[in-house]
Amino acid sequence: MCHSHNDYWRPHPLFLALAVGCTSVEADVWLSPDGEDLLVGHDKRFLSPNFTLRSLYINPLLQILDAMNRSALHEPFNPSARASGIFATEPNTTLILFIDVKDDPVKTWPLVLQQLGPLRDLRYLSRHDKTMGTNQTFWPGPITIVGTGNIIKRRDINIGTDLEEWQQHHDSFLDAPLHLLTETGFIESNGFYGPYELENEFYTASAPFSKAIGSVRTGFSTQQMETLRNQLRIAKHRNLKSRLWGLPDWPKGHRDYVWNVLVQEGIDLLNANDIASAASMYQQVGSLREAL
């Protein structure tokens, strides 16, 4: 499916992505100067108190999901029940909300988790939960929260101070480095510490296209195709949604060529600025791929 890159730049953040069928959106967040709120934007110089994580994403999502689940809100609490999602025709499809931490994750991420409280309280978040008395540990919900950016360098901040409690229940996941994935762990890197992985710590795996694949100005080489297929295979084997960002945007013919290859090879999230074209491409090529 399409991923709305820098979604907050659009005239109507979130809603335009949903309108074309994107199942993944991305918000860059910064801690406000007073430390009380989360501002959304790409460049710190142009942040505004009018554009926050709550105003652009959390509150609209609450309104949509409350409308989709109006009758369920008055029913007796059932911890194993799954709320209906954003998409009326596909109520079990989750919307991935990437939260890209642009500044200090030690100060910013705890506030992210706090502001997600209303979504959490209404069981709208996908969660890792070992308290349900079943073998199932991942419980999908209408919204899946994925932390990326600077939080990846401080995985311990997402876990918090009580590892045992986190291993029993958590509802925020991280974005693993796609190009560093191995069958069982990670290739060690200065920007990503530790080869270990905890259960349901990650939900997606992403990497910059230039670092994972390299230049394809003259087309994908045989080696690049092997690299791409191996990365996607490992991600799928580990139940991680794959994404490559920083894709060529111009000329459009070359962009479409790259998109076509990625979708044919099974990329889960097609990163795009032109989301209408990406959604159309994914639908056309994806349908052909499924038919073969």
Side-chain angles (χ1 to χ4, degrees):
M1 294 296 181
C2 68
H3 167 79
S4 182
H5 178 240
N6 290 340
D7 179 76
Y8 47 85
W9 277 348
R10 307 191 188 285
H12 302 286
L14 178 64
F15 292 99
L16 282 179
L18 297 180
V20 301
C22 286
T23 58
S24 179
V25 297
E26 175 186 348
D28 295 349
V29 299
W30 307 75
L31 196 65
S32 63
D34 62 5
E36 298 295 323
D37 210 348
L38 296 165
L39 308 182
V40 174
H42 190 71
D43 193 318
K44 191 173 185 178
R45 296 171 298 171
F46 305 115
L47 298 176
S48 166
N50 296 322
F51 298 99
T52 68
L53 184 64
R54 282 185 291 199
S55 67
L56 294 182
Y57 295 97
I58 294 177
N59 292 341
L61 287 171
L62 278 169
Q63 293 173 359
I64 295 171
L65 290 170
D66 283 351
M68 297 294 290
N69 293 276
R70 187 167 287 121
S71 60
L73 295 177
H74 304 288
E75 296 176 359
F77 178 72
N78 180 355
S80 63
R82 180 173 181 173
S84 294
I86 295 289
F87 304 99
T89 57
E90 296 185 21
N92 288 333
T93 296
T94 193
L95 175 73
I96 304 172
L97 176 56
F98 280 85
I99 300 178
D100 189 337
V101 177
K102 290 298 186 182
D103 52 8
D104 184 0
V106 176
K107 297 178 180 178
T108 303
W109 195 247
L111 186 55
V112 170
L113 299 181
Q114 177 186 324
Q115 291 196 358
L116 292 172
L119 290 168
R120 179 181 301 115
D121 293 342
L122 291 168
R123 294 173 291 147
Y124 290 157
L125 298 181
S126 298
R127 69 190 191 277
H128 164 84
D129 194 341
K130 300 181 77 171
T131 68
M132 302 295 290
T134 72
N135 292 329
Q136 180 178 345
T137 60
F138 180 78
W139 298 79
I143 309 295
T144 301
I145 301 298
V146 175
T148 188
N150 288 344
I151 187 62
I152 302 301
K153 302 173 184 177
R154 292 298 307 271
R155 293 161 62 188
D156 57 308
I157 300 302
N158 186 50
I159 294 171
T161 57
D162 192 332
L163 175 60
E164 184 174 341
E165 179 181 349
W166 182 90
Q167 288 177 320
Q168 289 295 308
H169 184 283
H170 62 267
D171 51 30
S172 61
F173 307 89
L174 296 181
D175 187 26
L178 179 63
H179 60 303
L180 299 180
L181 288 181
T182 66
E183 296 284 353
T184 58
F186 303 97
I187 301 169
E188 292 199 49
S189 167
N190 290 335
F192 183 82
Y193 68 87
Y196 68 89
E197 175 185 3
L198 299 173
E199 185 179 10
N200 289 333
E201 183 181 5
F202 301 94
Y203 185 79
T204 58
S206 305
F209 187 81
S210 60
K211 185 176 291 187
I213 304 299
S215 173
V216 293
R217 185 177 298 274
T218 58
F220 284 81
S221 68
T222 300
Q223 180 60 51
Q224 286 174 320
M225 288 300 298
E226 290 179 0
T227 298
L228 173 64
R229 288 167 178 161
N230 189 55
Q231 290 173 350
L232 299 186
R233 178 188 60 79
I234 293 176
K236 191 172 295 292
H237 172 72
R238 296 179 58 174
N239 292 319
L240 300 174
K241 303 296 184 185
S242 55
R243 178 177 70 108
L244 289 166
W245 52 271
L247 306 180
D249 252 349
W250 191 262
K252 287 187 177 181
H254 183 60
R255 178 203 70 182
D256 290 350
Y257 159 72
V258 173
W259 283 2
N260 193 298
V261 170
L262 294 180
V263 175
Q264 283 190 339
E265 295 301 326
I267 196 87
D268 291 305
L269 302 173
L270 183 59
N271 199 86
N273 294 312
D274 182 354
I275 53 176
S277 296
S280 177
M281 167 74 73
Y282 203 102
Q283 186 175 31
Q284 293 173 12
V285 179
S287 297
L288 288 173
R289 184 171 176 269
E290 291 176 2
L292 296 176

